[in-house]
Amino acid sequence: MGSIDGATGAEGVHVKKILVALAAAGLSLSGVLAASPAAGAPPGAEHAPPAPAPQWTQCEGLPTGVECTKIEVPLDYRRPKGEKIKIAVSRRKATDTAHYQGVILFNPGGPGGSGLAYPAVMQTRLGPTLAAQYDLIGFDPRGVGSSEPSLSCDPHFADPVRPDYVPANITEELAWAQRSRNYAEACGRIYGDLLKNMTTADAANDMDQIRKALGQEQISYVGYSYGTYLGATYATLFPNRVRRLVLDSIVNPSRVWYEANIDQNHAFEGRAKDFFAWIAQYDSTYHLGTTGDEVEKAFYAARAKLKDTPAEGRVGPDEFDDTYLAGGYLKSRWPLLANALSRYLTAGEAAPLLAAYGTYGDSSGDDNTFAVYSAVECSDASWPRDWPRWHRDMWQSYRAAPFLSWGNAWFNAQCAFWPVRTAHEQRIDGRFVKNALFFQDTKDGATPYEGGVEMHRRFPNSRLVVMDGGGNHGLTGRGNACVDDAWKAYLTDGTLPASRPGPDLHCEPFADPVPPARAAAMNATPTQIDDWVPGER
């Protein structure tokens, strides 16, 4: 696509041309911002003064019985008596006092996801008997949602219609790079030194302040997606404070974060091809082709059409990409997404596509999640600061995995210009954790399978439960008996699957969905959509 895509000759000449173009565009990365090191929160911070007992009130907008409070924590754990920020915490208290098991914290991922609703969500997923034995604790990590301050750098950054993710030439690529640079600079202007204290290690220290405020010697923890990296960081820093640890859909601790995003590109490409092949099975319903290749061509034809004429001036190629990325997280969404694509291409109807975008792809008007995502990932680890490296890697990724590569590049490119550089990359070490239970799908797009294997290796007392070929992101609490029996047994009394070489337990995948019309003809139950997805951007 365009002259950039591997068509410029020798690599040295190619890089030189990019550097010349960067200079002409004012995008030389050296000295682009006055980069200062991230603080890198120290473990423990046991010298921090004890917080007063929290005062709980009914949470606004959440079911009766879910209480909320805010806990003051140090902005900088190296200066525990200095400036404070507030972490929003929610709770549903245990009702089975005879079998009380303490507190269990939940994190939905992101980074940037709000966890305040999780006591209500998890009461249902755990079931009444098990949920009654714990104080169910949700929280908004620092910078998120109801915590103070709540970050936002540019509330209009995601407004439609944005420039095409896939650059047609070097000018378009550098324009997107400039857009990312502007976002990073806005974050630096607004938040300054706060950005030095937005690492995962800082959030893990906040979790320990929550533990103290709740009067607990230990916590149990269930984390999803990015929440697995947060949980693993907490367990590394505070291994003796961990009672039970569940990590579901696991970040690869060896690939944080630049490489992890490239890994995602290839994993989501596989999920996209599975989606196209599934649509082809139901050509009599969707009329988009009888093979996956034919459906894939139809998909990219729709994208090109939307680039020429965005649907209702709102859904262009980027918004289309964001909408269909949702199908890579959960295959139960495939019928709705396939119907929207079919109606747009075969009948010229934009309404189903606009509805799908509103449900799955629209992130305009609320910059908080993206701002926190950026603040955490950009300062957690080292990112390439030379654009030729990004240019080379992203075009290489795109040639093999066009579905996500450039969209993912621009979701992260602000890290090339971030005003904070990491001073310390946290190494995950689970050797001192007494037990843990991990869940991973072999075809997960957002957190590819290798992450579960690597985290299992780093926690030698863990067990790894693998769903073979399901492709879902977030496995526990969705009704798969094999998965949920292991999950609930562990949280009930610490029972773990027997230890075996490799994965310790294999589970059958969730069934593929069936289009509603076909299900009705077969007198079958239509696929129910469970749209709770951890860590979905």
Side-chain angles (χ1 to χ4, degrees):
M1 174 176 291
S3 62
I4 290 179
D5 195 2
T8 57
E11 180 67 20
V13 175
H14 189 39
V15 171
K16 183 176 180 181
K17 287 184 177 180
I18 299 169
L19 290 171
V20 170
L22 282 166
L27 274 168
S28 172
L29 299 191
S30 59
V32 83
L33 293 171
S36 52
E46 292 293 341
H47 53 291
Q55 301 297 308
W56 298 92
T57 59
Q58 169 65 37
C59 296
E60 183 178 350
L62 292 178
T64 300
V66 180
E67 307 169 297
C68 281
T69 192
K70 290 185 179 179
I71 295 173
E72 280 197 343
V73 302
L75 169 63
D76 184 347
Y77 279 94
R78 286 185 168 81
R79 298 173 178 82
K81 295 183 179 180
E83 184 178 352
K84 301 295 191 294
I85 60 175
K86 294 181 179 180
I87 305 300
V89 180
S90 60
R91 174 182 73 175
R92 182 181 284 278
K93 284 184 65 65
T95 55
D96 185 354
T97 56
H99 301 96
Y100 181 63
Q101 300 208 53
V103 302
I104 182 168
L105 274 65
F106 300 95
N107 181 270
S114 171
L116 290 186
Y118 265 53
V121 171
M122 287 299 167
Q123 184 185 35
T124 299
R125 290 182 176 273
L126 291 171
T129 300
L130 182 55
Q133 298 175 11
Y134 285 94
D135 291 336
L136 308 179
I137 307 297
F139 64 101
D140 282 357
R142 57 174 55 201
V144 174
S146 296
S147 290
E148 300 176 19
S150 178
L151 273 59
S152 177
C153 302
D154 179 357
H156 299 293
F157 187 74
D159 287 357
V161 170
R162 290 158 290 163
D164 190 353
Y165 286 147
V166 183
N169 50 53
I170 191 66
T171 301
E172 289 189 5
E173 183 179 333
L174 294 182
W176 249 111
Q178 181 65 54
R179 198 170 186 270
S180 300
R181 172 182 173 171
N182 292 344
Y183 187 87
E185 290 180 336
C187 292
R189 283 194 304 271
I190 297 169
Y191 296 108
D193 286 349
L194 173 66
L195 298 184
K196 299 177 185 177
N197 300 286
M198 284 296 298
T199 67
T200 299
D202 288 307
N205 274 276
D206 293 344
M207 284 173 53
D208 208 55
Q209 294 301 303
I210 294 172
R211 175 191 65 78
K212 293 176 184 178
L214 297 175
Q216 300 286 326
E217 288 296 315
Q218 292 185 310
I219 63 170
S220 296
Y221 177 86
V222 176
Y224 299 88
S225 195
Y226 163 79
T228 65
Y229 187 68
L230 175 58
T233 299
Y234 182 85
T236 296
L237 299 178
F238 305 98
N240 294 330
R241 300 300 185 184
V242 176
R243 182 172 181 262
R244 291 176 187 148
L245 177 68
V246 176
L247 306 183
D248 183 337
S249 303
I250 300 168
V251 166
N252 189 332
S254 297
R255 306 284 286 175
V256 174
W257 289 107
Y258 181 74
E259 294 83 1
N261 281 283
I262 293 176
D263 294 343
Q264 279 187 336
N265 298 343
H266 297 278
F268 271 110
E269 186 70 22
R271 297 307 295 141
K273 290 188 181 300
D274 288 344
F275 173 53
F276 300 146
W278 177 84
I279 292 176
Q281 294 179 34
Y282 298 102
D283 182 58
S284 61
T285 299
Y286 299 118
H287 311 293
L288 294 173
T290 59
T291 68
D293 288 346
E294 290 176 352
V295 174
E296 184 170 4
K297 290 177 182 178
F299 177 85
Y300 286 108
R303 190 185 190 281
K305 183 178 178 181
L306 290 165
K307 181 175 182 177
D308 289 340
T309 308
E312 301 296 329
R314 188 163 182 81
V315 178
D318 296 2
E319 294 73 29
F320 180 73
D321 289 352
D322 292 351
T323 300
Y324 281 84
L325 180 62
Y329 287 92
L330 282 182
K331 59 187 177 183
S332 57
R333 296 168 170 175
W334 289 357
L336 185 151
L337 293 170
N339 179 67
L341 182 63
S342 174
R343 300 308 299 167
Y344 177 70
L345 285 175
T346 65
E349 295 179 12
L353 184 60
L354 287 161
Y357 168 67
T359 300
Y360 296 130
D362 188 359
S363 58
S364 61
D366 179 10
D367 183 52
N368 179 240
T369 299
F370 185 59
V372 175
Y373 173 93
S374 303
V376 174
E377 292 214 358
C378 295
S379 56
D380 250 358
S382 297
W383 289 76
R385 294 273 172 160
D386 58 313
W387 193 256
R389 165 81 181 277
W390 285 74
H391 171 91
R392 181 187 69 242
D393 290 350
M394 297 313 148
W395 278 115
Q396 181 179 10
S397 176
Y398 178 81
R399 284 190 284 271
F403 179 73
L404 180 61
S405 289
W406 273 110
N408 213 10
W410 302 126
F411 199 79
N412 292 278
Q414 67 280 5
C415 294
F417 309 95
W418 201 247
V420 170
R421 294 176 187 255
T422 185
H424 170 71
E425 293 189 18
Q426 181 65 53
R427 175 165 176 79
I428 301 301
D429 184 351
R431 289 175 296 166
F432 304 108
V433 175
K434 294 180 180 179
N435 61 81
L437 183 59
F438 300 163
F439 295 88
Q440 189 68 39
D441 194 302
T442 60
K443 297 182 76 173
D444 189 338
T447 52
Y449 176 68
E450 291 75 16
V453 174
E454 176 62 17
M455 194 73 82
H456 181 41
R457 185 186 70 80
R458 295 196 185 198
F459 283 73
N461 297 317
S462 68
R463 301 290 188 273
L464 177 61
V465 179
V466 167
M467 180 175 284
D468 294 302
N472 274 22
H473 186 61
L475 304 180
T476 56
R478 292 193 183 278
N480 182 289
C482 176
V483 167
D484 286 348
D485 287 352
W487 183 46
K488 293 179 181 180
Y490 175 61
L491 292 178
T492 297
D493 58 17
T495 298
L496 288 167
S499 179
R500 294 184 173 88
D504 301 287
L505 177 64
H506 290 267
C507 293
E508 292 293 319
F510 296 103
D512 283 351
V514 176
R518 179 65 63 90
M522 297 167 55
N523 197 28
T525 302
T527 301
Q528 300 297 311
I529 298 180
D530 177 354
D531 268 331
W532 170 80
V533 175
E536 184 175 22
R537 62 187 225 200

